[in-house]
């Protein structure tokens, strides 16, 4: 009496091979990706240091950045309060600080609106924002309102 030779292995009704791609797949276009944050360059003691932030403002920053995490960069950057700033338009202190931290090889920085006046400023590297400055009074890139 011979036993039939069956193929051994798990039995399943579901095919394990799939065409699905992970949600965190790398895109060539950073605009199609969700933001990520890097804080290793975050400054504590410059004219725009985080040592000046109060507890209420810190909570507001955390909440705003958390809300940005559910969006793609293409939804964040062209918005009313969030935009790119040319390095040449930055204050002298900000430009000098970029030189001091050896980050002066960029053409622009990103200003993320937190409220009407406050900003978080950093360097965008693909989809990762390297957070630099807390700018509660809009002084990193001073501007005057037109017709005033």
């Amino acid at each position: 009496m011979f036993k039939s030779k069956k193929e051994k292995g798990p039995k399943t009704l579901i095919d394990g091979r799939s065409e699905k791609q992970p949600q965190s797949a790398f895109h060539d276009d950073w605009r199609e990706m969700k933001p990520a944050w890097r804080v290793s360059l975050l400054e504590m003691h410059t004219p725009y240091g985080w040592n000046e932030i109060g507890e209420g403002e810190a909570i507001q920053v955390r909440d705003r950045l958390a809300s940005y995490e559910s969006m793609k960069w293409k939804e964040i950057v062209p918005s009313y309060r969030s935009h790119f700033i040319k390095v040449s338009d930055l204050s002298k202190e900000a430009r000098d600080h970029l030189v001091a931290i050896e980050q002066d090889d960029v053409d622009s920085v990103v200003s993320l609106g937190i409220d009407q006046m406050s900003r978080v400023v950093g360097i965008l590297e693909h989809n990762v924002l390297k957070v630099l400055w807390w700018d509660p009074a809009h002084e990193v890139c001073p501007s005057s309102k037109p017709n005033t």
Side-chain angles (χ1 to χ4, degrees):
M1 300 200 175
F2 295 96
K3 290 186 180 180
S4 65
K5 293 183 181 179
K6 288 187 177 181
E7 194 175 311
K8 293 186 177 185
K11 295 178 183 172
T12 181
L13 296 175
I14 301 171
D15 184 5
R17 297 168 291 190
S18 175
E19 299 301 319
K20 291 173 78 176
Q21 289 195 0
Q23 283 187 327
S24 62
F26 184 80
H27 291 277
D28 288 333
D29 186 0
W30 61 271
R31 293 173 192 86
E32 293 295 328
M33 297 182 73
K34 293 182 179 182
W37 320 109
R38 180 164 294 142
V39 295
S40 60
L41 293 175
L42 188 137
E43 284 301 318
M44 294 304 291
H45 301 287
T46 68
Y48 318 112
W50 288 85
N51 61 321
E52 299 294 325
I53 194 166
E55 182 180 349
E57 293 170 316
I59 291 169
Q60 188 177 16
V61 168
R62 182 201 59 204
D63 291 348
R64 179 59 57 134
L65 293 181
S67 74
Y68 285 150
E69 289 174 1
S70 66
M71 304 166 72
K72 292 181 179 179
W73 274 111
K74 69 180 180 181
E75 300 166 313
I76 299 169
V77 173
S79 69
Y80 173 68
R81 291 192 182 110
S82 299
H83 55 275
F84 285 98
I85 302 171
K86 293 179 192 173
V87 169
S88 60
D89 292 341
L90 296 176
S91 69
K92 181 177 180 347
E93 292 87 4
R95 289 191 315 269
D96 290 346
H97 187 257
L98 287 176
V99 171
I101 63 171
E102 299 178 353
Q103 296 292 314
D104 58 324
D105 59 341
V106 296
D107 296 329
S108 61
V109 296
V110 173
S111 173
L112 294 180
I114 302 302
D115 61 21
Q116 188 69 24
M117 193 70 150
S118 305
R119 305 285 183 267
V120 169
V121 180
I123 298 169
L124 188 61
E125 191 172 278
H126 200 65
N127 72 311
V128 178
L129 185 72
K130 297 189 288 188
V131 178
L132 295 173
W133 303 310
W134 167 240
D135 187 17
H138 214 276
E139 296 173 338
V140 169
C141 179
S143 63
S144 59
K145 292 184 177 181
N147 302 321
T148 58

